[in-house]
Amino acid sequence: MRVTFTALLVTMLGAGCASTPSDQDPVQIRLNDLDARVARIERIVANNVQVSQNLDEVQGNLRELRGQVEQLEHSEQALGKQQRDLYGDLDRRLSSAGVGGAFGAAAGSAAAGAAAGAAVGAAAGAEGGAAGSNAPSATEQAVYGQAFDALKAGSYSTAITGFKDFLHTYPNSSMGDNAQYWLGEAYYVSHDYDSAAGAFRTVLKKWPDSHKAPDAMLKLGYTQLEQKQYPAARATLEEVTKKFPGTDSAKLAAERLRRIPAQPSH
């Protein structure tokens, strides 16, 4: 009986030893941990590369969205002017037709209000009539639209020619600051950084109060970075954050400032 129990005990101990994993060596555990860390780092690097590759596409989409907003704004201005002209023509036709009866009485009351409004409009026109004349014509919008469509389509040389022609043909257009800015963008995406910097500087010099000024200054800083003019780029981007605080341009400038490489020593 004792022999049998002893044999059973030996058998169990042998089975326990055989089930002990052979790969529990501390060095092997450490190597496995390092392999896992390297794999994680490789995934992070791959993700960063993908983000960098997508950056140009995101910027292109942003340019397209901004252009669409501008076109909508100008279309709204043009539509408002057309409506005012239509209502004015309708008032004149009703007056010349001498509408009578009950409808004529109601129309007469409305005409009196329109006449009062016309008088006020005439007085305002004497002081600020130039504002209406600055509204872009249909031809201006068509020329501008063709250049912008070429930019969206990636036909950068055609866009550059179109915006330059627009600025030459309509030097006093209310869309001039937009055209000048997108001319700079067309140069920028064509990697003609000297011309891009000149175009963005023109926006800041000729239209310092334009809604395009913050974007123009931001893109000037980006252009200087592409030219490896790091001190100048840093100064420009810092000016964006100080001159246009709270804007998207200021936020982008602050983010890019953190990534400017240190100036190499000579």
Side-chain angles (χ1 to χ4, degrees):
M1 185 69 179
R2 288 182 179 178
V3 174
T4 304
F5 178 77
T6 302
L8 179 61
L9 180 60
V10 170
T11 302
M12 293 177 61
L13 289 174
C17 292
S19 64
T20 302
S22 60
D23 60 349
Q24 296 301 311
D25 182 73
V27 174
Q28 185 62 44
I29 293 174
R30 183 62 175 171
L31 287 174
N32 292 340
D33 182 60
L34 289 175
D35 286 342
R37 292 186 181 183
V38 169
R40 287 196 296 270
I41 292 173
E42 288 176 345
R43 288 196 296 271
I44 292 172
V45 171
N47 289 337
N48 288 339
V49 170
Q50 184 63 40
V51 169
S52 177
Q53 291 174 345
N54 291 338
L55 181 59
D56 288 341
E57 181 180 354
V58 172
Q59 290 180 338
N61 291 337
L62 181 59
R63 285 194 300 271
E64 181 174 353
L65 289 174
R66 287 179 175 174
Q68 290 174 355
V69 170
E70 291 170 4
Q71 288 180 328
L72 287 174
E73 289 175 348
H74 291 303
S75 297
E76 183 180 2
Q77 293 174 359
L79 179 60
K81 184 176 183 299
Q82 291 175 357
Q83 289 177 337
R84 290 193 297 271
D85 292 343
L86 178 62
Y87 293 150
D89 181 63
L90 180 60
D91 286 338
R92 288 191 296 272
R93 292 187 181 185
L94 286 174
S95 298
S96 62
V99 179
F103 179 77
S109 177
V120 173
E127 295 180 357
S133 63
N134 285 336
S137 66
T139 304
E140 284 180 67
Q141 294 188 59
V143 175
Y144 177 93
Q146 288 176 353
F148 192 81
D149 287 343
L151 178 62
K152 290 191 297 182
S155 301
Y156 302 133
S157 60
T158 302
I160 290 170
T161 300
F163 285 124
K164 289 173 68 175
D165 288 346
F166 177 90
L167 291 164
H168 177 75
T169 305
Y170 306 103
N172 299 318
S173 173
S174 61
M175 301 170 70
D177 53 345
N178 294 328
Q180 184 68 42
Y181 173 81
W182 291 114
L183 175 62
E185 284 280 10
Y187 280 130
Y188 183 87
V189 295
S190 300
H191 306 291
D192 185 352
Y193 298 121
D194 290 340
S195 297
F200 293 134
R201 285 192 178 98
T202 298
V203 175
L204 298 172
K205 181 179 180 180
K206 192 171 181 179
W207 296 279
D209 299 323
S210 167
H211 70 289
K212 281 296 182 187
D215 290 340
M217 187 175 292
L218 175 69
K219 291 312 292 280
L220 175 60
Y222 285 5
T223 303
Q224 291 167 329
L225 284 176
E226 296 291 346
Q227 296 172 312
K228 302 188 186 305
Q229 299 174 2
Y230 299 126
R234 181 176 294 278
T236 299
L237 294 175
E238 287 177 348
E239 186 176 358
V240 175
T241 62
K242 294 175 182 177
K243 193 170 183 178
F244 307 104
T247 63
D248 289 340
S249 296
K251 295 175 183 177
L252 290 171
E255 192 276 334
R256 184 57 68 91
L257 278 168
R258 292 192 290 269
R259 296 192 285 119
I260 293 181
Q263 180 72 2
S265 58
H266 295 285

